Amino acid sequence: MFLHIDDLLTRDEVSTLAELARHTKFISGRLSNPHNTTKNNVIQDPADASGKQASQIALTAIQRSEQARNFVLPRRIAIPTFLRYAQGMTYGAHVDAAFMNLGGQLLRSDVSCTIFISDPDSYQGGELAIYLGTETVRVRGKPGSAVFYPSTTLHEVPAVTSGERLVMITFIESQIPDQMQRDLIYTLNEVRALEGLKMDWSNRMSLEFVIANLLRMWAR
Amino acid sequence: MFLHIDDLLTRDEVSTLAELARHTKFISGRLSNPHNTTKNNVIQDPADASGKQASQIALTAIQRSEQARNFVLPRRIAIPTFLRYAQGMTYGAHVDAAFMNLGGQLLRSDVSCTIFISDPDSYQGGELAIYLGTETVRVRGKPGSAVFYPSTTLHEVPAVTSGERLVMITFIESQIPDQMQRDLIYTLNEVRALEGLKMDWSNRMSLEFVIANLLRMWAR
Amino acid sequence: MFLHIDDLLTRDEVSTLAELARHTKFISGRLSNPHNTTKNNVIQDPADASGKQASQIALTAIQRSEQARNFVLPRRIAIPTFLRYAQGMTYGAHVDAAFMNLGGQLLRSDVSCTIFISDPDSYQGGELAIYLGTETVRVRGKPGSAVFYPSTTLHEVPAVTSGERLVMITFIESQIPDQMQRDLIYTLNEVRALEGLKMDWSNRMSLEFVIANLLRMWAR
Amino acid sequence: MFLHIDDLLTRDEVSTLAELARHTKFISGRLSNPHNTTKNNVIQDPADASGKQASQIALTAIQRSEQARNFVLPRRIAIPTFLRYAQGMTYGAHVDAAFMNLGGQLLRSDVSCTIFISDPDSYQGGELAIYLGTETVRVRGKPGSAVFYPSTTLHEVPAVTSGERLVMITFIESQIPDQMQRDLIYTLNEVRALEGLKMDWSNRMSLEFVIANLLRMWAR
Amino acid sequence: MFLHIDDLLTRDEVSTLAELARHTKFISGRLSNPHNTTKNNVIQDPADASGKQASQIALTAIQRSEQARNFVLPRRIAIPTFLRYAQGMTYGAHVDAAFMNLGGQLLRSDVSCTIFISDPDSYQGGELAIYLGTETVRVRGKPGSAVFYPSTTLHEVPAVTSGERLVMITFIESQIPDQMQRDLIYTLNEVRALEGLKMDWSNRMSLEFVIANLLRMWAR
Amino acid sequence: MFLHIDDLLTRDEVSTLAELARHTKFISGRLSNPHNTTKNNVIQDPADASGKQASQIALTAIQRSEQARNFVLPRRIAIPTFLRYAQGMTYGAHVDAAFMNLGGQLLRSDVSCTIFISDPDSYQGGELAIYLGTETVRVRGKPGSAVFYPSTTLHEVPAVTSGERLVMITFIESQIPDQMQRDLIYTLNEVRALEGLKMDWSNRMSLEFVIANLLRMWAR
């Protein structure tokens, strides 16, 4: 499942991030994935102070979003990082690494997140393309919006043909690694939130009985 | 989980079964479990015509019970059979065989069922005792009632100290072998049945989405 | 994952099916799903002879398609059936039943299939909409094409606003019920087919070792 | 499965705990579960010094019990806390949260534990009622005794109708979250403890081979 | 795990099979596995009457062996077939197909079986070599002996350098497809058989409780 | 699967370890496994400084070996320790404990490792014998070589009949506890390493898609 949140960031945060990006040092995206010859973009230098400030803003925004929490059931979140695609840049079809280093520990990437900073009217091409066999989901979000999608998919950023695409990306380890299982718990939680007060107390308890036991069964 | 149904059989069926039992030939219960020296009861001769008629009545009663179907999610049901405990008879703590022969095919016993025929006031001792570690669930049903319980448990029929206990027993292979998983699907189905019409259509669809996918995931 | 096959049916088969549809008796689609008040379409009468002939043509086409076989790893296929949406007809968001009756046995629906008969230019609305959370995959196929998609999804046919939409649908039980697991085996099989002859023999054997053992592990 | 230990606490510890309870500040139980309107009891103020002393005594008692360790296979134990039910107080049917905060980390509640402090003759009602479908296990322990039961169950404390019920409760994360799997390992360990010295060496090794590999397979 | 049975066949059966082999028509082994260019042996023509008689003798021998039954927990057994390796013949490293056709149904190969007919002194090379990473298990059985080994392994028959190697092979679908799980149940069953009568009754029941529930949990 | 690495240690490291062993205090091996009366060897005193130096050399050697890393997918490695078998010493058939203490945390033993220090020509008997049912894998490595094998096996060191056998042993917790699953990931990684550059880019991405998703699915 996908979750597209229109306003993960406030307008002010979008402006701040765009401004911080202008002062952030960018380095070749190939550094984090040297073997992927189709990767041609630039990422924020992990040591850059402006970049670090931006990362913190994005992290806070994800953590405060109840919608994101309910959908992802996050355990740990990697440090969000700027990605910039100038004209002609691209990131060929790839799969995100299953495990990443987060402060000396391994973080399993279950859910990937792209936060859009650039205005979609300011660049052409460069949409996030997620391949589901012969069908493709294509996402070009408004500034401040974010899409959460399964890290298990093959996905691509086709070449930006004009303008510049600035996004932040991150990866989240969920309590529930299996996508289908995570979707089922998310869906039951939504039913409880939307119907709970209308339900007979004993039926509500039944629903909580199921949700709690699925969490115990599937959390890993 | 346990399901005790008060009126699995009609009064007439109870009378008919009690009458059929009087004409049925009984043989040593040890024949079906020769190694269990604590088994001391008598069971219906599988070849006996009255017994066969009784088996069919009990089978039909189980199949028509919506409550039983919802709880057990049955795939196949073994042939119900009379068990009689005269005074002094008993069946020591045991576990039901995991696989049984049903018409040349293996039936996995997931749920065990005892249908009570004798009046509980007409005999002493002989209750069905199901051990859950240091706690014990004890069941003495009224005529025509039935209890469905996990075949995975260690259970016992302590000695009948006076009177005679007549029951029918059978074993059911469920679509969902794991008890906890079966309980969760049963519980969600109950919520749907009790709340479904009060729910917003999209929430009801969400609940059906979860139930259908748990069934696909867990049926074996 | 999705698989869209452009030419599941030959042109002649499409013509034959369109012709057979004209002679087939249709009945209310609600009959197969009486509780779903959002279902408003017509389906072929299962007893109709022309319809039976059409079902057989569609079934054969699915069975002969190597692409479909590789993708679905089918065990059993339900009888394909015509669905017709005249102007104003629709089938609201729903989830396919997990188990269906196929000749007295239960068939688990793992993969759903829609075969397109009408020309997409001859009707408006009525595309197959498959919901993946906040993103939606929409499919309007050419005559003779077919889409295979996970039965686990919530999906919908929005109202046909002009013209008439004629499709055939069916449901397939796969050897590998879990979608992700099925996708992984499909993907490895594709790699073997495309790279196998270029690979060192021992590496090819390694790949076959993995595929065979995943099949053993996951088939259900 | 259930484990009821008669003497988890010594008589002296029971006296000490009863005394500490008299000096402990209690607050509304609703604070830890604000949405559950059926919860009407009082719990120890987490900041209270007497209460902290009591918690430590109870924790030590659980940790030193070999019986408890064998049964629960504990990984981490939440801080035990006093619960007091004055006359009229109750805690309606509920399910324990699947995950709890323990010092900034999530603890999965697999096994729940109630330690009885009050004399069961000093209050009426207020027994621990654990629902297993249509059967119910009811526990009223002697002072110093404790019951360990699956956190996966729906359970309730019916209203205390006279006197006062004082207990301590806690929640334990087991190495083996699945109840059935935990029961099987516990049972094999008991067989080894009780029969091991009588067994041929190679059979004893066979039993250890099975236990060690089940632990590897199921620990999570 | 491996099971080598010394006397699966009686001496008379070995003679009969050797004699039947002389009258059986053999065809290229490549026919059953056309893509494997390293397969160079001859197999019995499935239509040959002498061969069919031989198959039946081998099948009966496997079915009557209690040791084999306990080890394999068989559900269905493929038709045993002669394989002959004349001088220079070989079957390169390969993995057995996961699913085979048995009378129109799919049989999952969980356990492979080689029955040795030739005297190991009458040929050189041609031992069954089973690869376990950098270690190799090599088996050259006496006439009438048989080895049962996991179908999940990569294995090979190196070239026969002198003489002729005649064996029969078959494939068995087990109730318990996972090798480790099958080994654990086998091991517990052996403990019960060897220690059961020495054990306290309640401990024996505990062991049966575990075995029955592992069977329910793992049979597929 | 087994992995035998010929040169885990350099010649210099072997000499250093042999020298350190001469200065290390050894204590009864029974101390770490008091109930196993068949254990008769000596192990390094955990407090000994020379021993600690040796442990560090062995640990570093394992960590730097790419072959070992690929095969074991290690998460944590127990402290390697000397084991010495003088003439007549032995360690009867046993299974390694599933969980061990490593710095206050539990380490699950998935893969066991024996590093050979003594020249195999300098002692008789004392080979590592790993039982796979009726077949046995026997390993007598050269100085500096190491064998990695599943901790799940029953294994033994038969009596040293002359000379002295000096080895170091350790236990590794893998990201992938199940042996078969670990073998499949290892095998796919080998295929990628050996064929990756020859493969079409999209097929290589397909292989990475499978590997990454198996890691997510199975890591525990």
Side-chain angles (χ1 to χ4, degrees), chain E residues 6-52:
Chain E
D6 266 343
D7 53 357
L8 184 83
L9 301 174
T10 65
R11 279 172 183 246
D12 281 358
E13 286 168 339
V14 173
S15 306
T16 305
L17 288 173
E19 182 62 22
L20 284 168
R22 274 189 286 279
H23 298 92
T24 296
K25 182 179 168 201
F26 281 76
I27 58 178
S28 167
R30 193 74 69 79
L31 294 178
S32 73
N33 199 350
H35 300 300
N36 191 330
T37 56
T38 72
K39 189 174 188 178
N40 173 16
N41 57 15
V42 292
I43 61 170
Q44 106 190 27
D45 181 338
D48 184 279
S50 299
K52 284 182 180 176

Side-chain angles (χ1 to χ4, degrees), chain C:
Chain C
M1 274 195 186
F2 295 78
L3 175 67
H4 199 124
I5 300 180
D6 266 344
D7 54 356
L8 184 82
L9 302 175
T10 64
R11 281 173 182 242
D12 281 358
E13 286 168 338
V14 173
S15 306
T16 306
L17 288 173
E19 181 64 21
L20 283 168
R22 275 190 286 279
H23 297 92
T24 297
K25 183 182 168 198
F26 280 77
I27 58 179
S28 166
R30 192 75 69 77
L31 293 178
S32 73
N33 199 349
H35 299 300
N36 192 329
T37 56
T38 72
K39 188 174 187 178
N40 173 17
N41 57 14
V42 291
I43 60 170
Q44 107 190 27
D45 182 337
D48 184 279
S50 298
K52 283 182 181 178
Q53 206 180 324
S55 295
Q56 191 53 51
I57 290 170
L59 184 59
T60 304
I62 294 172
Q63 287 169 334
R64 81 181 167 219
S65 164
E66 195 182 340
Q67 245 186 307
R69 268 202 319 274
N70 291 348
F71 181 78
V72 178
L73 298 164
R75 186 146 49 196
R76 289 183 305 152
I77 305 178
I79 298 168
T81 186
F82 278 125
L83 242 71
R84 198 161 60 190
Y85 294 79
Q87 193 178 323
M89 287 188 177
T90 180
Y91 191 171
H94 65 282
V95 53
D96 297 325
F99 287 95
M100 300 170 177
N101 189 353
L102 177 64
Q105 286 211 303
L106 288 179
L107 172 144
R108 185 186 57 230
S109 65
D110 296 318
V111 178
S112 300
C113 173
T114 298
I115 307 173
F116 298 91
I117 313 291
S118 308
D119 192 311
D121 294 336
S122 70
Y123 62 97
Q124 290 192 296
E127 77 276 12
L128 172 62
I130 296 153
Y131 297 115
L132 305 170
T134 55
E135 301 292 331
T136 304
V137 167
R138 296 178 189 276
V139 189
R140 284 171 66 83
K142 291 184 206 155
S145 78
V147 62
F148 297 81
Y149 60 99
S151 303
T152 54
T153 52
L154 203 67
H155 46 271
E156 177 169 13
V157 178
V160 168
T161 53
S162 77
E164 181 185 278
R165 176 189 190 252
L166 178 70
V167 299
M168 296 195 81
I169 62 159
T170 192
F171 306 95
I172 311 176
E173 178 173 321
S174 172
Q175 275 197 292
I176 311 292
D178 182 86
Q179 187 205 166
M180 171 59 87
Q181 294 173 351
R182 195 168 57 239
D183 288 351
L184 296 183
I185 289 180
Y186 168 67
T187 303
L188 285 181
N189 273 329
E190 292 292 293
V191 170
R192 178 173 54 173
L194 295 167
E195 292 283 337
L197 297 181
K198 291 161 52 188
M199 293 173 90
D200 287 355
W201 182 256
S202 70
N203 292 332
R204 189 188 155 115
M205 281 303 102
S206 289
L207 201 53
E208 296 200 353
F209 166 79
V210 173
I211 293 170
N213 284 322
L214 291 178
L215 275 168
R216 287 186 181 97
M217 202 182 277
W218 291 337
R220 192 147 54 87

Side-chain angles (χ1 to χ4, degrees), chain A residues 95-166:
Chain A
V95 54
D96 297 325
F99 287 94
M100 298 168 179
N101 189 354
L102 177 64
Q105 286 211 303
L106 288 179
L107 171 145
R108 186 186 56 230
S109 65
D110 296 318
V111 178
S112 299
C113 171
T114 297
I115 307 174
F116 297 92
I117 312 291
S118 306
D119 192 310
D121 295 337
S122 70
Y123 63 98
Q124 289 192 298
E127 77 276 11
L128 173 62
I130 296 153
Y131 296 115
L132 305 170
T134 55
E135 301 291 331
T136 303
V137 166
R138 294 179 191 276
V139 188
R140 284 171 65 83
K142 290 183 207 155
S145 77
V147 62
F148 297 80
Y149 60 99
S151 303
T152 54
T153 52
L154 203 67
H155 48 271
E156 178 169 12
V157 178
V160 168
T161 53
S162 76
E164 182 185 279
R165 176 189 190 251
L166 178 69

Side-chain angles (χ1 to χ4, degrees), chain F residues 35-138:
Chain F
H35 300 300
N36 191 328
T37 57
T38 72
K39 188 174 188 177
N40 173 16
N41 57 15
V42 291
I43 60 170
Q44 107 189 28
D45 182 337
D48 185 279
S50 297
K52 283 183 180 177
Q53 207 180 326
S55 296
Q56 191 54 50
I57 290 170
L59 183 59
T60 303
I62 294 171
Q63 287 169 333
R64 81 180 168 218
S65 165
E66 195 183 340
Q67 244 185 309
R69 270 201 317 274
N70 291 347
F71 181 77
V72 178
L73 297 165
R75 186 146 47 196
R76 288 184 307 151
I77 306 178
I79 297 168
T81 185
F82 279 125
L83 242 70
R84 198 161 61 192
Y85 294 79
Q87 194 177 321
M89 287 186 177
T90 180
Y91 191 171
H94 65 281
V95 53
D96 297 324
F99 286 93
M100 299 169 178
N101 189 354
L102 177 64
Q105 286 210 305
L106 288 179
L107 172 144
R108 185 185 58 229
S109 65
D110 296 318
V111 177
S112 299
C113 172
T114 297
I115 306 174
F116 297 92
I117 313 289
S118 306
D119 191 311
D121 295 337
S122 71
Y123 63 96
Q124 291 193 296
E127 77 276 11
L128 172 62
I130 295 152
Y131 297 116
L132 305 170
T134 56
E135 301 292 330
T136 303
V137 166
R138 294 178 191 277

Side-chain angles (χ1 to χ4, degrees), chain A residues 75 175 201-202 204-206 208-209 211-213 215-220, chain D residues 35-38 93-99 106 108-109 151-152 154 220:
Chain A
R75 187 146 49 195
Q175 276 197 293
W201 182 256
S202 69
R204 188 188 156 113
M205 282 302 103
S206 289
E208 297 200 352
F209 166 79
I211 293 170
N213 285 322
L215 276 170
R216 286 187 182 97
M217 203 182 276
W218 291 338
R220 189 147 55 88
Chain D
H35 300 301
N36 191 328
T37 56
T38 72
H94 65 281
V95 53
D96 296 324
F99 287 93
L106 288 179
R108 186 187 56 230
S109 64
S151 304
T152 54
L154 203 67
R220 189 147 54 90

